[in-house]
Amino acid sequence: MRNYVFGTGIVSALTGGLALLRAMREDEPFTWRVALAWLSWGITLALAIGAIVDTRRARHGEFVAPDSPVSGKEPKLSRAARNIS
């Protein structure tokens, strides 16, 4: 579980979100640039969560979409999971 929670994608998304929250506290006006920053953060978080889900599926031998970064690495991830357990 800690491999998923402390993955670099999730950590970077959370630190980016914290930076955006700090910027909102400084009473700056909400402009289109801020809206794009929040949209970008949401996309980054969604991609990080998607990578975690795909990695988990690959380790358990389930179907992984062909456009996933872990597509084609399922046997390797499955063997690594068996060696850890």
Side-chain angles (χ1 to χ4, degrees):
M1 181 71 172
R2 68 177 173 253
N3 291 338
Y4 303 128
V5 174
F6 296 119
T8 57
I10 291 292
V11 171
S12 65
L14 291 178
T15 57
L18 290 174
L20 285 172
L21 283 175
R22 276 191 229 120
M24 294 291 292
R25 286 191 206 164
E26 296 175 4
D27 296 327
E28 294 292 325
F30 191 82
T31 63
W32 64 273
R33 289 180 183 97
V34 175
L36 285 178
W38 279 105
L39 179 66
S40 173
W41 175 78
I43 291 169
T44 302
L45 184 64
L47 287 172
I49 292 170
I52 290 170
V53 169
D54 285 347
T55 303
R56 183 185 178 285
R57 285 183 180 161
R59 284 190 177 170
H60 290 206
E62 298 174 18
F63 173 74
V64 178
D67 65 343
S68 172
V70 297
S71 178
K73 301 176 186 174
E74 294 94 338
K76 180 181 175 185
L77 290 171
S78 182
R79 274 187 273 128
R82 280 181 288 196
N83 291 337
I84 291 173
S85 299

